[in-house]
Amino acid sequence: MTSNTMEAAATSAVRSRRDAPPRPGGGARLVRRRQRWGWLFVAPFAVVFAIFLVLPLGYAFGMSLFTSTLATGTEFTGLANYAKAFTDPLFLEGMLRVLAYAVVMIPAQLLVALVAALVLDTLATRVSKLSRLLIFVPYAIPVVIGALMWSFLYSPRFGPAATIFSMVGLDAPNFLAADSIFGSLVNIVTWQWAGYYMIVIYAALRSIDPTIYEAARIDGANGWQTATRIKLPMISSSMVMVITFALIGTLQFFTEPVVLRSVAQGAIDAAYTPNMYAFSLAFSYSQFNYASAIAFSLGALVFAGSTVFLFLTRKQSGLK
Amino acid sequence: MSSTTSTRATAPTDLTVATGVPAHQPRRGDGRGRSGGRRIGSHVFLIILAIYFITPLWWLIVAATKSNSGLFTGTGGPLWFDDQFAFFDNIAGLFTHQGGVYWRWFANSFLYAFAGGAGATILAILAGYGFAKYRFRGRGPFFTIVLASVMVPLTALVIPTFMLLSQMGLINTPWAVILPSLLNPFGVYLMRVYAQDAVPDELLEAARIDGAGELRTFAQVALPLLKPAIVTVLLLSVVGTWNNFFLPLAVLTDPELLPVTLGLNRWTALSNAGAGGEQVWNLITTGSFISIIPLILSFLFLQRYWQGGLAIGSVK
Amino acid sequence: MRSKLLAASGVVAVAAAALTGCTPGASAESCTNEILQPDATQVSVWAWYPAFEQVVDLFNETHDEVQICWTNAGQGNDEYTKFSTAIESGSGAPDVIMLESEVLSSFSIRDSLVDLTEYGADDVKGDYSEGAWKDVSSGDAVYAIPVDGGPMGMLYRQDILDEYGIPVPTTWDEFAAAAQTLKDAGAPGVLADFPTNGRAYNQALFAQVGSTPFVYDNAKPTEIGIEVNDQPSKDVLAYWEKLAADGLVGTEDAFTADYNTKLVDGSYAIYIAAAWGPGYLGGLSDADADAVWRAAPVPQWDPANPVQINWGGSTFAVTTQAKDPEAAALVAKEVFGTEEAWKIGIEEAALFPLWKPILESDYFRDLEYPFFGGQQINKDVFLEAASGYTGFTFSPFQNYAYDQLTEQLYAMVQGEKDASKALDDLQASLEAYATEQGFTLQ
């Protein structure tokens, strides 16, 4: 089968199937019975969904309604933990910090991923294929290992920074100091995820019908115009998906700062991100109730944030 | 030019297979009519980017061949090999340090990643297919909830999940890691989107008319068509479980049960604390290096599936 | 495709088999060591002492009725986190756990430690100094058996001090002067480090001028006294603030690979350390081959009235999840209750014993340490430092208190606030926390 016929078949199949009503297949009763199979197929997942998502969420909410202190024991306090959370400077600072990370980190990852994907889309050489793989490789490295590696690389003793900077006659900066830790963490996350996003964007670019480029070329569009006026709008749904993931990931920032904290305890405190705060509260300070309130608040904020984002971009993402 | 066309010929086909969305070829206008200078510029840009992304890995490869003191004061510096090649000594060290617990961790990682990943994938295939091909009552609302749950940060669930597991008496068992990783709403979403387009209703109807039951129709008609999505979802779930840090950190205590990521993190903590005989930086670097090989290899060998598959959720 | 599916289900089947095959029950432990008497009562122990396996083997060889099943669940905070988790979940804790004395009240307030007075703690009370015993008791209750201590001394590089003609400092004034001399001479390193995350170390520096940060007694568990911003402590901190601001001491975090390297490669000429410090240095890699290490008493503020300080030591406590508290208490009492065990602890792990029979023995007093060129550091420094120790009271939320201390000290060396403000802020945050936790401030 040539790809053209496949394309035709696929396109027509997509067209005909979308919004098509279920076919009557031998009487309404039979159809109804068959539709029960739908539930059977979905049921195993539904069970897991109920046990490991709905139940924990409900449980967290329930726990967050109680307060347990070291000296006086546990009592029902209603929404007091939430009132406390939203006036707790540690939680609010952590929230602001992850928002700052979102503002810097997401564009950084996206820019690298987008430019790389656009360049790759115009090339088909061995170098480009190899680069595509190499840029993607960090995604295959577990986040913990990646962060451990970078904590070595940032180290003045282990790392290459001193060597590299001395080549240009400079002293290596301390990557783990309070004023540079932000950039150091942005760098780790960008390194880890940009390749993955690049592949998503690249795949989307590859699926654009090239006859459009032909038309654009005839109209006299140059490479830059093709990229910004045609390619970008056409992959906007991919971009929305990538940004949503990056946003959800960034707001629950945890692993990288936790790993780096072991070499930069001053610069990364125990409440550096809301997730780290919840973890410290629960497992270091044994305040499970308040930790649940923090976790639940964070979850609600992330959910609200990504929903708002998807609502604002509903045109691009195609979700309604 | 001929090499260009030959590489082109394979890439788009992969995509077609993978996404069900046709990638058109040959793409005219690419590379042609473009000045050599721009192409060189693009290549230089790509090479610089690739160097940035690969340098940490290069460092790790080099570090894995060094002895403990070589890591600090080796002759080669951080980015080149020492005179002393200690890679095999380090491997031997991984077998002897703490009774070779490293390999136990390694096996645990495999177990958790594959049991969790395969389980999550199976659930996602079934549910995705169910959502895509049956119009059962409550389908719309439930799918909306599943879609919304993609946005619930999973780490927010760790603390309550821990409390639940502890009530079930599962804390500090492999189940405490595997069972929660069966939850993969994004996988269900991907599978549904993919199944919707890749499994034509006409084919299912034909199978039913031939007298095949729903299960057989699913297994013989739908499953083969879902292959690229299955590989993608499996890879994503495996990576997700392999990467999981917060959950095992909370639910596992026994050193014999740790996945390799947590185990290496613990060695790092012990080495940083620096009590005598616990400084095993060389084992940490070598262990890290070995631990990343399986995933990198699986990504390399399964390239033709995931490269397009990753875009399933977004390509309309 | 079907083969793929088959393969996938195969993986699941294998995984399931592996799981059922090796799933330990919630409480069953897998031991790092070998159990010699499979029928004997097993007591699970968490501990992170170096060379502990030999001590465990020794115990198991000499006890037919009780066997230790040992796990290293991580060092310090890592282990405490696990323990805390297990307390909350009601299972998963070991029978006996190694805890530093500073966290005992944090755990006893959560009813997770057994009062050992019912299990014969008094039988061994005479084997420990009053200060050591006070650290493990609260009111009438005894929550742990002491193991090792952390009397502090000053380890220094004789070769570096000689090179720059610096006499061994005996007071903090001389210490500051030495730091200045070293800097003026353009030495590549500095005199010492002031780690903002030193926790117990920093606390000990304050204790030298009489700081008693907490007043707390389990008999009145809802009352606590907090005073971390007394003037003498502020003066001590201001001293370090100035040294740090002038670049006379480093401010690197302790307990990192970089710091460990700097300890032994000549970057620091002096390491103010606990008695276990020498063992710690000996285990570090990349040491300067020409280093000449010696030990001396810790510098004093008032040489006429020397005050000894203590970094803190570790203990064995019995958890309330212990299946057989009697057997567990036996392990806590006896595991480090023999000379043989202590010889391993001292020679292999460089522990400083609190067990009097060995602490007061000629063997320990006269022991020569090759690392110090044969110097008898116990006789010269640490026995004296240990003898004056009268015990110390920690808060029931010590982890929080230390995290806050670290944060404030870091802000200080970053130049965000001065020493006085740092301790005032610390005081305020601890008071707020205690109130919020339902304590009445005394």
Side-chain angles (χ1 to χ4, degrees):
Chain A
M1 203 198 290
T2 72
S3 74
N4 278 339
T5 54
M6 230 171 123
E7 164 205 333
T11 325
S12 70
V14 171
R15 296 249 164 79
S16 70
R17 255 174 289 122
R18 286 239 169 100
D19 312 312
R23 290 167 165 253
R29 257 185 62 207
L30 193 70
V31 170
R32 221 176 305 129
R33 187 178 304 158
R34 185 192 297 159
Q35 298 316 339
R36 259 181 233 148
W37 276 94
W39 264 116
L40 289 180
F41 277 111
V42 174
F45 173 76
V47 170
V48 169
F49 190 82
I51 297 179
F52 290 106
L53 195 108
V54 180
L55 200 59
L57 277 181
Y59 196 83
F61 185 69
M63 276 192 68
S64 67
L65 299 179
F66 291 83
T67 297
S68 164
T69 64
L70 283 174
T72 49
T74 307
E75 55 180 331
F76 181 81
T77 48
L79 296 176
N81 278 329
Y82 291 92
K84 186 172 150 196
F86 284 97
T87 52
D88 183 342
L90 289 177
F91 176 63
L92 296 179
E93 277 166 28
M95 248 0 262
L96 283 179
R97 194 173 283 121
V98 289
L99 282 177
Y101 272 107
V103 168
V104 176
M105 209 145 70
I106 297 175
Q109 297 172 71
L110 223 59
L111 194 69
V112 174
L114 183 64
V115 174
L118 284 171
V119 170
L120 284 173
D121 188 47
T122 62
L123 296 173
T125 58
R126 286 218 181 102
V127 174
S128 77
K129 278 188 82 175
L130 182 68
S131 318
R132 197 172 74 207
L133 261 187
L134 294 184
I135 296 171
F136 177 76
V137 154
Y139 173 72
I141 296 171
V143 177
V144 183
I145 306 284
L148 275 179
M149 278 164 60
W150 278 104
S151 72
F152 287 124
L153 287 164
Y154 287 151
S155 145
R157 295 283 152 149
F158 280 114
T163 322
I164 292 170
F165 278 82
S166 68
M167 281 193 286
V168 281
L170 289 172
D171 279 341
N174 180 2
F175 294 106
L176 301 170
D179 43 3
S180 49
I181 197 78
F182 188 89
S184 303
L185 281 166
V186 169
N187 175 53
I188 298 182
V189 175
T190 306
W191 174 82
Q192 187 107 43
W193 293 98
Y196 173 71
Y197 298 143
M198 175 197 76
I199 291 288
V200 174
I201 297 172
Y202 174 76
L205 283 172
R206 301 302 298 179
S207 66
I208 297 174
D209 184 344
T211 53
I212 297 175
Y213 302 145
E214 193 65 17
R217 213 165 57 89
I218 291 164
D219 288 348
N222 61 25
W224 171 253
Q225 286 165 331
T226 315
T228 52
R229 306 241 177 103
I230 299 174
K231 292 186 178 179
L232 270 185
M234 291 203 66
I235 57 165
S236 56
S237 71
S238 296
M239 298 293 282
V240 168
M241 186 180 93
V242 164
I243 295 174
T244 312
F245 281 167
L247 187 67
I248 298 170
T250 308
L251 294 181
Q252 49 179 335
F253 207 20
F254 180 74
T255 309
E256 292 92 344
V258 165
V259 172
L260 275 204
R261 181 168 149 77
S262 68
V263 289
Q265 272 173 40
I268 302 178
D269 59 53
Y272 193 72
T273 71
N275 249 333
M276 288 175 70
Y277 187 38
F279 189 83
S280 305
L281 280 172
F283 298 110
S284 298
Y285 310 149
S286 55
Q287 296 185 48
F288 282 86
N289 300 83
Y290 187 43
S292 297
I294 294 281
F296 203 84
S297 306
L298 172 69
L301 287 176
V302 174
F303 185 81
S306 40
T307 310
V308 166
F309 176 75
L310 284 178
F311 179 76
L312 292 177
T313 58
R314 62 195 181 283
K315 245 196 212 145
Q316 284 79 21
S317 66
L319 291 172
K320 282 170 200 120
Chain B
M1 202 58 216
S2 67
S3 78
T4 315
T5 36
S6 74
T7 44
R8 280 231 158 265
T10 53
T13 328
D14 296 347
L15 266 174
T16 314
V17 173
T19 57
V21 179
H24 305 261
Q25 67 138 356
R27 195 182 280 186
R28 269 160 289 168
D30 287 4
R32 209 197 285 169
R34 178 165 293 159
S35 67
R38 290 233 3 229
R39 292 200 45 173
I40 291 173
S42 300
H43 276 113
V44 170
F45 170 77
L46 279 183
I47 289 168
I48 290 175
L49 215 53
I51 290 176
Y52 163 71
F53 280 95
I54 210 69
T55 302
L57 269 186
W58 173 250
W59 173 85
L60 184 65
I61 293 170
V62 170
T65 68
K66 293 183 179 179
S67 67
N68 211 11
S69 68
L71 280 171
F72 289 91
T73 52
T75 51
L79 291 179
W80 198 247
F81 300 96
D82 267 358
D83 301 340
Q84 185 200 358
F85 187 82
F87 182 66
F88 296 106
D89 295 343
N90 293 343
I91 300 261
L94 287 177
F95 276 100
T96 51
H97 189 66
Q98 295 180 356
V101 70
Y102 173 83
W103 301 103
R104 177 78 209 222
W105 294 341
F106 203 68
N108 289 340
S109 275
F110 265 92
L111 174 70
Y112 301 156
F114 284 97
T121 308
I122 292 170
L123 294 183
I125 298 169
L126 293 173
Y129 176 76
F131 276 126
K133 294 297 159 192
Y134 296 91
R135 319 219 141 197
F136 51 89
R137 189 179 298 192
R139 179 182 82 143
F142 187 31
F143 188 70
T144 309
I145 294 173
V146 171
L147 201 57
S149 74
V150 173
M151 279 168 271
V152 175
L154 291 182
T155 49
L157 297 174
V158 168
I159 290 167
T161 303
F162 163 80
M163 306 297 292
L164 278 173
L165 290 169
S166 78
Q167 290 187 350
M168 294 184 227
L170 292 178
I171 291 299
N172 210 10
T173 70
W175 297 111
V177 180
I178 294 171
L179 292 179
S181 36
L182 294 179
L183 179 73
N184 185 357
F186 183 63
V188 174
Y189 166 70
L190 283 186
M191 207 49 94
R192 184 213 158 139
V193 171
Y194 190 85
Q196 199 134 31
D197 291 351
V199 185
D201 286 342
E202 294 82 351
L203 270 180
L204 299 180
E205 280 308 321
R208 284 170 188 143
I209 289 165
D210 287 350
E214 295 300 316
L215 275 181
R216 244 183 92 188
T217 310
F218 166 70
Q220 294 186 343
V221 179
L223 262 189
L225 293 171
L226 292 174
K227 194 168 155 190
I230 293 174
V231 175
T232 306
V233 172
L234 183 65
L235 265 177
L236 287 178
S237 322
V238 166
V239 170
T241 320
W242 193 282
N243 268 341
N244 202 344
F245 178 67
F246 201 164
L247 180 76
L249 185 67
V251 299
L252 294 180
T253 307
D254 191 339
E256 299 269 306
L257 291 179
L258 300 181
V260 69
T261 47
L262 240 76
L264 289 172
N265 193 50
R266 183 177 285 190
W267 273 0
T268 312
L270 284 176
S271 295
N272 273 330
E278 297 288 355
Q279 290 224 316
V280 289
W281 299 112
N282 57 329
L283 300 187
I284 294 168
T285 53
T286 309
S288 301
F289 173 65
I290 293 175
S291 78
I292 65 174
I293 294 175
L295 275 190
I296 290 185
L297 284 185
S298 42
F299 272 105
L300 270 183
F301 286 119
L302 297 172
Q303 261 191 78
R304 46 185 308 243
Y305 298 105
W306 57 260
Q307 290 213 344
L310 289 185
I312 292 171
S314 59
V315 179
K316 298 254 134 197
Chain C
M1 191 60 230
R2 202 179 299 161
S3 64
K4 265 259 161 67
L5 247 194
L6 272 179
S9 52
V11 168
V12 176
V14 169
L19 281 173
T20 42
C22 69
T23 303
S27 58
E29 313 287 334
S30 53
C31 320
T32 310
N33 60 298
E34 231 177 293
I35 301 291
L36 301 174
Q37 307 284 345
D39 298 331
T41 310
Q42 277 193 22
V43 172
S44 56
V45 176
W46 285 357
W48 69 83
Y49 300 109
F52 190 56
E53 184 154 17
Q54 299 170 51
V55 178
V56 170
D57 287 345
L58 183 71
F59 181 95
N60 285 353
E61 278 161 26
T62 50
H63 291 77
D64 291 340
E65 302 301 314
V66 178
Q67 295 280 293
I68 291 178
C69 167
W70 167 56
T71 302
N72 184 346
Q75 176 153 6
N77 241 338
D78 288 344
E79 189 208 64
Y80 305 154
T81 306
K82 301 281 175 207
F83 184 38
S84 193
T85 309
I87 295 168
E88 196 61 31
S89 69
S91 73
D95 301 337
V96 173
I97 184 166
M98 169 179 180
L99 296 173
E100 287 158 289
S101 48
E102 65 193 36
V103 295
L104 283 175
S105 31
S106 303
F107 286 112
S108 64
I109 196 173
R110 296 171 68 190
D111 294 327
S112 51
L113 303 181
V114 171
D115 179 357
L116 295 175
T117 46
E118 293 166 47
Y119 299 100
D122 285 343
D123 305 348
V124 295
K125 186 176 175 180
D127 290 339
Y128 301 92
S129 76
E130 255 178 60
W133 201 255
K134 196 182 154 220
D135 275 355
V136 296
S137 3
S138 192
D140 291 333
V142 174
Y143 287 110
I145 304 293
V147 176
D148 76 319
M152 287 168 69
M154 182 178 77
L155 314 185
Y156 61 96
R157 286 282 297 270
Q158 183 75 60
D159 51 327
I160 296 179
L161 295 190
D162 284 353
E163 187 184 340
Y164 295 96
I166 298 170
V168 178
T170 58
T171 67
W172 290 112
D173 286 342
E174 289 174 20
F175 185 87
Q180 189 69 52
T181 311
L182 205 58
K183 192 187 180 194
D184 294 345
V190 291
L191 189 69
D193 189 45
F194 178 68
T196 56
N197 67 338
R199 294 165 82 102
Y201 168 79
N202 299 326
Q203 187 81 74
L205 294 179
F206 298 140
Q208 198 178 18
V209 289
S211 160
T212 46
F214 302 106
V215 179
Y216 183 72
D217 183 347
N218 275 22
K220 282 183 263 173
T222 60
E223 285 180 30
I224 187 165
I226 301 174
E227 192 188 10
V228 293
N229 59 344
D230 52 303
Q231 194 54 45
S233 295
K234 286 183 174 177
D235 293 343
V236 168
L237 192 55
Y239 169 86
W240 288 101
E241 183 192 6
K242 184 165 185 320
L243 288 184
D246 295 348
L248 300 183
V249 295
T251 53
E252 277 92 352
D253 272 3
F255 320 120
T256 71
D258 277 329
Y259 172 78
N260 291 339
T261 317
K262 287 188 165 187
L263 279 182
V264 290
D265 75 355
S267 296
Y268 308 131
I270 287 180
Y271 172 38
I272 307 283
W276 38 259
Y280 183 78
L281 291 181
L284 297 178
S285 47
D286 194 33
D288 188 340
D290 307 325
V292 179
W293 282 97
R294 292 293 179 269
V298 85
Q300 293 295 330
W301 292 105
D302 176 6
N305 299 299
V307 181
Q308 299 299 338
I309 50 178
N310 200 298
W311 191 312
S314 66
T315 68
F316 272 128
V318 174
T319 75
T320 43
Q321 289 180 23
K323 294 165 287 290
D324 184 344
E326 185 130 27
L330 177 97
V331 168
K333 284 186 290 182
E334 293 189 7
V335 63
F336 272 111
T338 63
E339 277 188 30
E340 291 86 341
W342 266 114
K343 282 189 175 158
I344 298 168
I346 291 163
E347 286 165 24
E348 306 281 332
L351 300 180
F352 185 89
L354 293 177
W355 193 60
K356 275 192 195 165
I358 196 97
L359 176 68
E360 293 171 352
S361 69
D362 294 347
Y363 155 79
F364 187 63
R365 191 190 61 221
D366 297 333
L367 195 62
E368 294 177 0
Y369 286 76
F371 184 81
F372 292 90
Q375 188 185 4
Q376 295 167 314
I377 61 169
N378 296 326
K379 185 157 86 182
D380 289 359
V381 180
F382 292 109
L383 281 170
E384 168 74 25
S387 67
Y389 183 63
T390 53
F392 201 80
T393 305
F394 293 95
S395 70
F397 42 82
Q398 195 58 37
N399 214 346
Y400 181 84
Y402 277 152
D403 280 350
Q404 290 300 312
L405 177 65
T406 300
E407 217 169 291
Q408 294 298 340
L409 295 189
Y410 190 76
M412 184 192 82
V413 301
Q414 290 289 305
E416 287 168 26
K417 49 180 86 166
D418 66 9
S420 172
K421 176 96 166 60
L423 289 185
D424 286 342
D425 288 354
L426 177 64
Q427 175 78 18
S429 77
L430 294 182
E431 282 182 4
Y433 188 79
T435 313
E436 187 191 296
Q437 287 299 310
F439 293 99
T440 319
L441 295 172
Q442 283 175 1

